[in-house]
């Protein structure tokens, strides 16, 4: 069962306990990929699920930069 896609601003937060050596390895991998540890964990989980045949919608990219200006005719 595939869950419905959530808007990018609505992300599930939860505590995760990791072995310090595992965290350090993820941190090194994240630095090598220019990602945060959180983004690296998410990427690794998506890759592992894909190898198991679990289909997911591609992640929605966060919007970057300034929001568009609103035209105020005042």
């Amino acid at each position: 069962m595939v869950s419905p896609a959530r808007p990018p601003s609505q992300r599930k937060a939860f505590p995760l306990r990791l072995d310090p050596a595992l965290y350090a390895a993820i941190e090194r991998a994240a630095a090598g990929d220019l990602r945060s540890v959180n983004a690296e964990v998410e990427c690794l989980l998506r890759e592992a699920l894909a190898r198991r045949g679990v289909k997911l919608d591609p992640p929605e990219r966060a919007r970057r930069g300034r929001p568009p200006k609103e035209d105020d005719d005042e």
Side-chain angles (χ1 to χ4, degrees), residues 26-42:
I26 294 171
E27 197 172 33
R28 286 190 306 274
D33 293 337
L34 299 176
R35 292 188 180 119
S36 67
V37 171
N38 186 77
E40 186 71 18
V41 168
E42 187 171 341

Side-chain angles (χ1 to χ4, degrees), residues 1-72:
M1 179 175 158
V2 177
S3 61
R6 288 191 303 251
S9 62
Q10 191 178 16
R11 300 180 71 86
K12 178 71 176 163
F14 67 98
L16 179 63
R17 291 175 194 86
L18 295 174
D19 178 88
L22 177 58
Y23 184 86
I26 294 171
E27 197 172 33
R28 286 190 306 274
D33 293 337
L34 299 176
R35 292 188 180 119
S36 67
V37 171
N38 186 77
E40 186 71 18
V41 168
E42 187 171 341
C43 183
L44 291 169
L45 288 171
R46 285 180 176 278
E47 289 173 359
L49 288 172
R51 281 193 304 270
R52 289 183 171 217
V54 178
K55 302 213 184 250
L56 291 172
D57 292 334
E60 296 207 18
R61 292 192 160 284
R63 291 184 174 199
R64 300 230 175 221
R66 294 183 181 169
K69 288 186 177 182
E70 293 182 19
D71 288 334
D72 290 330

